[in-house]
Amino acid sequence: MTRRVLTRWLIVLLGLHGLVVCAGFFSPYNPAEQDRNHVYLPPQLLHLVDPTGHLHFRPFVYPWKLRPDTPDLREEDTAHPLPLRFFVNGAHYRLLGVFPARLHLFGGEDTRICLLGTDAYGRDQFSRFLYGGQISLLAGFLGAALTLLLGTLVGSVAGYFGGLIDDALMRFAELFLALPWLYLLFALRAFLPLAVSPLKAFFLIIGVIGAVGWARPGRLIRGVVLSAKERDFVRAARGFGATDRYLLWNHVLPETRGVILTQAAILIPQFVLAEMTLSFLGLGVPEPVPSWGNLLSNLQQYSVLVSYWWMYLPALLMVPFFLGYLGLASSLQERTETYMIERRSLGGVT
Amino acid sequence: MRYFLRRLGHAFLMLIGVSLLSFFFTTLAPGNYLDEMRLDPQIAPETLAALRAQYQLDQPLPVRYVSWLNSLIHGKMGFSFAYNSPVAPLLMVRARNTLLLTIIATLFAWGLALPLGVWSAEHLGRLPDRLLSWGTAVGLVLPDLALALGLLLLAVKTGWLPPGGMVSVDFESFSLLHKLGDLLQHMILPVAALVLSSLPLLVRHVRAAVADVLGAPFLVAAKGHGIPKRRLLYHYALRAAANPLISLFGFSVGTLLSGSLLVEVVMSWPGLGPFLLEAILARDLYVVIGGVLLSTLFLLGGNFLADVFLYWADPRIRKENGAG
């Protein structure tokens, strides 16, 4: 049962991440391509039925035109429908950052089709959302990987060797747990250079996030290691003369796999949010590189909030990603728990 | 009593550790507040050197730490470069605004979470519980940022509520009652954002804790004695389920200062959050350290409060720790 649920969530997440990883294919335009003539264009709704009531199998959108005798109000120009073309050649991009390509899932004939509208520079919001996901999700992944690496290192050393090392490491971890983590993130960011190139900022953020988060998984892993090293088979192996390194690597660390996987499913979305928060506040990845945080940051301007509500749409599109991770984390947690209970009832005395 | 003393001592050491850690991070920082001034040709190098000496930026770390400790004892918490004044009074005003917001939000959140969680546990696995579970799941996955921005968007679009800020522009000219009303009106939005973002987790915890004890034999017995359901749930079950909830409440209290950072920035509430952000951007080191330390103090205080409550509520803990 839990296994099937787990697979389902994994498939959902794989699909969603596929969209982002292959952003070049799924997004019709280059995220940096500007069109100063079409600034703050509202989202274009996909239509199947035209004004006369005829059904079309090829979806189409209407271009926006200025409403007569208003300076800035727009309305759909129903006289000129723009049919959607599938598998069109368009802007050049590199699939997975390697393979050069120019095939896109969809696009317009000669006018641009912007499903989520455009921003202050006339850039396509839909493309920016997908490309921004690459930055945000990658930051989440790498941040979680770094955190878990540090956490596993600290946790296993502390749990396995115990004694003074354990005490010292755990007191140090408590320090990090005592700090409110968003503040810690801020403080750490405060003490690092502010104006940096996007690439440097990206790695800076990952470093900061990784450095802040290691304490909690470290403590959890320590607990698992603590109980694992007293298991009978570990003791037996030690009796046969196994070295510490062998025991840790082959017998103790495999026991922590469940905890690490669950923690990863919890930490990745948390760190995506951290990146979003930092970028939203202008402390993270700077323009023109899109990220989920700086996609939303222009909503801080009152005028944008009042007039261009569709700038908020990316925030809603992120929700399925977080839902996927929540589902994954809870089914992983359930699996680890049932696994533990099973083993306990099978008579694992320790 | 010894139990509490030990706890307090632990918290105190923790604070020292956090302050040391923040100071250590400051040495990693490239540049300082004066870097901006150095670019200004109107400011003489001698002035800069004098300022450096005045702010002790030319001193090694231990010296700076000791003199900061000294100013902490005198209730100043260092000196803000940007505001040219001691940090403590600046922080206090901002912290007051933050607390005004978060205390009300926390009360609301718990006031809603307890009945909702108990209600959900009562109908475990049935329709109301399922609906509520879905509701909390949606709340959990909606990022705080999206929630705050969404509420703000709603307020702006409908014009029902003021879009951010703490008071209206002509606040000073209002009568007392009008002032209060104005403040309340401005508070609705951030409080709603805070309550909605913390509620799902609280409801889930209450539900889990109560569901854990609902099957207990003593509750079946109490039911058999004909004790009314309400009393059963709120008087017996909730009490037995209190321990994890008390810890959680301590955590809620602990995050009073730090939990609302994002909401404050988005809704331009003049609290600690925007203040700290400003200080970070201006490299106003002591303000950052002061803010971090103050919120750590709250976090530790919240944990301590939870310990006190647990001690009071659970005889087992009392017994374990000596005094009966």
Side-chain angles (χ1 to χ4, degrees):
Chain A
M1 164 62 185
T2 49
R3 201 180 180 85
R4 202 162 349 128
V5 175
L6 188 67
T7 327
R8 207 169 62 201
W9 285 119
L10 268 178
I11 290 172
V12 168
L13 276 178
L14 269 179
L16 288 171
H17 285 75
L19 283 178
V20 167
V21 169
C22 305
F25 173 68
F26 290 106
S27 66
Y29 308 106
N30 185 324
E33 188 187 329
Q34 302 186 1
D35 182 358
R36 299 287 177 124
N37 292 325
H38 295 101
V39 165
Y40 285 127
L41 224 49
Q44 290 171 320
L45 219 60
L46 286 176
H47 292 270
L48 283 174
V49 182
D50 65 17
T52 56
H54 286 291
L55 181 74
H56 295 255
F57 286 106
R58 181 179 291 283
F60 59 91
V61 301
Y62 292 119
W64 291 101
K65 66 171 183 195
L66 280 180
R67 204 177 284 174
D69 54 72
T70 58
D72 58 348
L73 289 178
R74 294 172 194 272
E75 63 179 12
E76 287 190 322
D77 182 4
T78 47
H80 303 96
L82 298 169
L84 221 63
R85 298 275 166 222
F86 290 100
F87 301 106
V88 291
N89 280 325
H92 291 270
Y93 63 93
R94 281 175 182 278
L95 196 62
L96 307 173
V98 190
F99 311 106
R102 53 177 309 204
L103 191 68
H104 295 263
L105 178 65
F106 68 93
E109 253 156 29
D110 17 66
T111 328
R112 283 168 29 118
I113 292 178
C114 301
L115 295 180
L116 292 182
T118 62
D119 69 359
Y121 302 98
R123 297 177 295 194
D124 178 35
Q125 280 285 90
F126 183 68
S127 304
R128 285 179 71 71
F129 171 74
L130 287 184
Y131 273 98
Q134 288 187 336
I135 299 288
S136 295
L137 291 174
L138 191 63
F141 267 106
L142 293 181
L146 185 62
T147 300
L148 288 174
L149 197 72
L150 281 173
T152 312
L153 197 71
V154 171
S156 56
V157 166
Y160 189 82
F161 294 105
L164 203 63
I165 307 176
D166 185 22
D167 274 345
L169 284 177
M170 283 305 109
R171 288 298 94 75
F172 193 53
E174 266 169 34
L175 261 183
F176 274 80
L177 284 177
L179 285 163
W181 83 280
L182 200 56
Y183 269 43
L184 190 63
L185 203 66
F186 266 47
L188 210 55
R189 185 68 186 84
F191 303 136
L192 293 168
L194 281 173
V196 285
S197 71
L199 193 70
K200 252 172 112 179
F202 180 69
F203 285 109
L204 203 68
I205 289 173
I206 292 167
V208 168
I209 290 173
V212 167
W214 60 272
R216 200 170 296 276
R219 279 233 299 215
L220 287 173
I221 288 163
R222 171 184 171 269
V224 177
V225 168
L226 217 54
S227 76
K229 75 167 181 181
E230 296 300 330
R231 286 254 160 70
D232 290 341
F233 67 90
V234 180
R235 286 183 176 182
R238 189 181 290 133
F240 284 123
T243 59
D244 282 338
R245 221 184 92 174
Y246 176 87
L247 280 178
L248 249 179
W249 197 249
N250 287 296
H251 288 317
V252 175
L253 280 183
E255 295 283 307
T256 62
R257 210 189 56 189
V259 174
I260 290 181
L261 279 180
T262 314
Q263 280 295 306
I266 293 172
L267 288 175
I268 291 171
Q270 201 182 342
F271 289 169
V272 172
L273 284 176
E275 188 281 332
M276 262 175 69
T277 308
L278 282 177
S279 295
F280 175 78
L281 299 172
L283 297 169
V285 181
E287 290 273 353
V289 177
S291 93
W292 282 357
N294 64 26
L295 221 60
L296 296 177
S297 67
N298 59 2
L299 282 171
Q300 277 172 304
Q301 297 162 29
Y302 183 70
S303 57
V304 174
L305 206 60
V306 175
S307 318
Y308 315 115
W309 59 269
W310 55 92
M311 302 309 283
Y312 179 69
L313 285 178
L316 294 181
L317 287 184
M318 293 165 198
V319 169
F321 287 83
F322 295 114
L323 187 66
Y325 276 109
L326 181 73
L328 185 70
S330 55
S331 49
L332 270 175
Q333 214 154 17
E334 225 166 278
R335 197 181 74 143
T336 319
E337 268 163 25
T338 42
Y339 178 61
M340 299 274 244
I341 290 165
E342 264 168 30
R343 198 163 50 196
R344 214 171 294 147
S345 60
L346 282 175
V349 188
T350 52
Chain B
M1 219 36 230
R2 271 190 44 206
Y3 170 68
F4 290 130
L5 280 180
R6 209 172 58 225
R7 285 271 154 183
L8 273 180
H10 193 208
F12 181 71
L13 285 180
M14 208 73 133
L15 271 181
I16 300 272
V18 167
S19 66
L20 271 173
L21 206 63
S22 346
F23 259 85
F24 172 71
F25 283 137
T26 62
T27 57
L28 295 177
N32 55 44
Y33 182 74
L34 298 179
D35 280 357
E36 297 267 312
M37 289 186 171
R38 197 175 300 149
L39 297 174
D40 190 345
Q42 299 219 351
I43 300 173
E46 294 81 38
T47 321
L48 275 177
L51 279 174
R52 269 177 74 84
Q54 189 195 331
Y55 294 150
Q56 294 188 315
L57 289 174
D58 51 353
Q59 302 285 330
L61 188 71
V63 177
R64 264 160 51 197
Y65 185 68
V66 169
S67 80
W68 178 78
L69 273 186
N70 189 28
S71 85
L72 183 66
I73 291 166
H74 289 94
K76 287 183 187 155
M77 298 177 83
F79 201 79
S80 161
F81 308 144
Y83 288 82
N84 201 17
S85 108
V87 171
L90 294 172
L91 278 180
M92 289 314 149
V93 176
R94 300 308 191 107
R96 196 197 61 201
N97 290 347
T98 296
L99 286 179
L100 180 68
L101 201 65
T102 50
I103 287 176
I104 291 175
T106 306
L107 287 180
F108 264 110
W110 277 91
L112 284 172
L114 283 178
L116 280 176
V118 169
W119 186 63
S120 185
E122 185 193 341
H123 298 274
L124 205 66
R126 275 176 286 156
L127 191 65
D129 178 42
R130 283 246 217 55
L131 281 179
L132 207 62
S133 291
W134 270 104
T136 52
V138 170
L140 278 180
V141 296
L142 195 67
D144 290 357
L145 188 61
L147 181 70
L149 284 173
L151 283 176
L152 200 59
L153 191 64
L154 201 69
V156 167
K157 279 285 158 194
T158 57
W160 291 334
L161 290 166
M166 188 166 157
V167 291
S168 298
V169 185
D170 39 3
F171 182 73
E172 289 306 323
S173 65
F174 292 167
S175 67
L176 191 66
L177 208 64
H178 194 169
K179 272 185 181 172
L180 196 69
D182 188 56
L183 187 65
L184 280 179
Q185 222 179 20
H186 279 85
M187 274 170 69
I188 292 175
L189 215 51
V191 165
L194 286 173
V195 169
L196 284 179
S197 68
S198 60
L199 194 60
L201 200 70
L202 294 185
V203 170
R204 287 200 159 196
H205 276 283
V206 173
R207 171 183 177 269
V210 174
D212 250 7
V213 297
L214 268 189
F218 81 93
L219 275 177
V220 179
K223 198 174 176 185
H225 278 86
I227 292 169
K229 202 157 123 195
R230 254 181 97 89
R231 195 176 156 77
L232 206 70
L233 282 172
Y234 284 93
H235 215 255
Y236 290 61
L238 199 57
R239 228 173 157 169
N243 276 13
L245 299 183
I246 289 176
S247 301
L248 193 64
F249 182 72
F251 185 72
S252 288
V253 172
T255 51
L256 278 179
L257 271 187
S258 50
S260 59
L261 192 146
L262 202 57
V263 170
E264 282 174 21
V265 173
V266 171
M267 313 239 175
S268 40
W269 183 266
L272 215 51
F275 187 55
L276 209 69
L277 189 64
E278 225 174 84
I280 287 174
L281 291 173
R283 298 221 159 285
D284 206 347
L285 290 182
Y286 291 110
V287 172
V288 179
I289 293 175
V292 170
L293 211 66
L294 202 62
S295 52
T296 311
L297 187 70
F298 256 75
L299 213 59
L300 293 172
N303 284 344
F304 184 71
L305 198 70
D307 283 337
V308 174
F309 274 148
L310 277 177
Y311 191 84
W312 170 72
D314 193 339
R316 282 168 301 185
I317 293 174
R318 264 200 303 264
K319 193 104 184 176
E320 235 170 66
N321 292 289

